[in-house]
């Protein structure tokens, strides 16, 4: 079951990168035209409106995450995943989407005024991602060559677990599946 947390972390990371990339273009795009016309002119504090948008977007994303629940059959037969672990997989998906929405909003608010700043932040985000991927691939190549087992072993390492969102969620899932309370913290 070493590969399930790694695969789940990679899935969460892919979702995170897709959502943050959309943040560079148009923010988290969590408000519709009706929201702008009705909510923003209302006498409601801006922070409350922001929380409303975040939780509404999280709800829509979690609705898509419900489809993960339909993967129970093959996850149970292949990895022995129980109902609790499946609920944790969906919850970690929600956490990664929520963090991605926050990061997308921050990226948009920090970079929307300056194309130069957008390029710097994009380079930093993708540079960190590329550095982690290259480190995992290099570690796998140096250990046993580029096989699936060596890639999983390299990705199931402390180096991978320090990677924001991807490694964190994979570490939490691995800790829950193995009963390692240190990884859960």
């Amino acid at each position: 079951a070493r590969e399930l947390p790694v695969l789940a972390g990679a899935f969460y990371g892919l979702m995170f990168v897709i959502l943050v990339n959309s943040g560079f273009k148009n923010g988290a795009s969590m408000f519709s035209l009706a929201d702008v016309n009705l909510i923003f002119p209302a006498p409601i504090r801006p922070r409350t409106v922001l929380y409303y948008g975040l939780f509404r977007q999280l709800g829509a994303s979690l609705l898509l995450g419900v489809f993960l629940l339909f993967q129970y059959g093959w996850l149970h037969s292949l990895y022995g995943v129980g109902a609790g672990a499946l609920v944790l997989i969906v919850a970690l998906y929600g956490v990664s989407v929520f963090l991605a929405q926050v990061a997308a909003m921050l990226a948009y608010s920090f970079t929307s005024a300056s194309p130069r700043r957008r390029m710097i932040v994009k380079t930093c985000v993708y540079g960190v991602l590329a550095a982690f991927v290259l480190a995992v691939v290099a570690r796998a190549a140096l250990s046993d060559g580029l096989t699936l087992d060596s890639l999983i072993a390299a990705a199931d390492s402390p180096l991978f677990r320090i990677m924001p969102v991807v490694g964190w969620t994979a570490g939490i899932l691995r800790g829950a599946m193995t009963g390692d309370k240190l990884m859960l913290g």
Side-chain angles (χ1 to χ4, degrees):
R2 286 178 65 180
E3 66 189 50
L4 180 62
V6 171
L7 291 173
F11 172 69
Y12 301 146
L14 178 66
M15 292 300 299
F16 186 85
V17 168
I18 288 170
L19 291 171
V20 170
N21 188 37
S22 74
F24 286 120
K25 296 176 187 164
N26 58 358
S29 66
M30 62 182 147
F31 295 111
S32 65
L33 186 57
D35 291 334
V36 172
N37 288 335
L38 296 173
I39 294 175
F40 287 109
I44 301 172
R45 293 184 310 188
R47 184 173 288 173
T48 305
V49 173
L50 179 65
Y51 289 144
Y52 161 74
L54 275 172
F55 286 113
R56 193 184 77 172
Q57 185 67 27
L58 180 65
S61 297
L62 278 180
L63 184 62
L64 293 174
V66 167
F67 289 105
L68 290 172
L69 294 174
F70 295 109
Q71 305 307 314
Y72 178 75
W74 74 270
L75 284 173
H76 180 68
S77 65
L78 194 58
Y79 298 111
V81 170
L86 187 64
V87 169
L88 181 63
I89 290 171
V90 173
L92 288 173
Y93 169 77
V95 167
S96 67
V97 167
F98 179 75
L99 291 174
Q101 291 295 332
V102 170
M105 281 191 326
L106 288 173
Y108 181 73
S109 65
F110 185 69
T111 64
S112 64
S114 170
R116 182 176 180 273
R117 206 182 294 166
R118 182 179 304 129
M119 183 57 70
I120 290 170
V121 173
K122 261 186 169 180
T123 303
C124 289
V125 168
Y126 293 129
V128 167
L129 178 65
F132 272 104
V133 169
L134 287 175
V136 167
V137 170
R139 183 176 177 175
L142 291 175
S143 66
D144 293 331
L146 286 177
T147 64
L148 182 61
D149 289 335
S150 67
L151 281 171
I152 289 170
D156 187 33
S157 68
L159 172 71
F160 183 72
R161 283 192 281 281
I162 64 170
M163 185 174 180
V165 179
V166 177
W168 300 342
T169 54
I172 291 170
L173 183 59
R174 179 157 168 78
M177 290 178 69
T178 61
D180 187 358
K181 303 225 184 299
L182 184 62
M183 290 182 80
L184 287 172

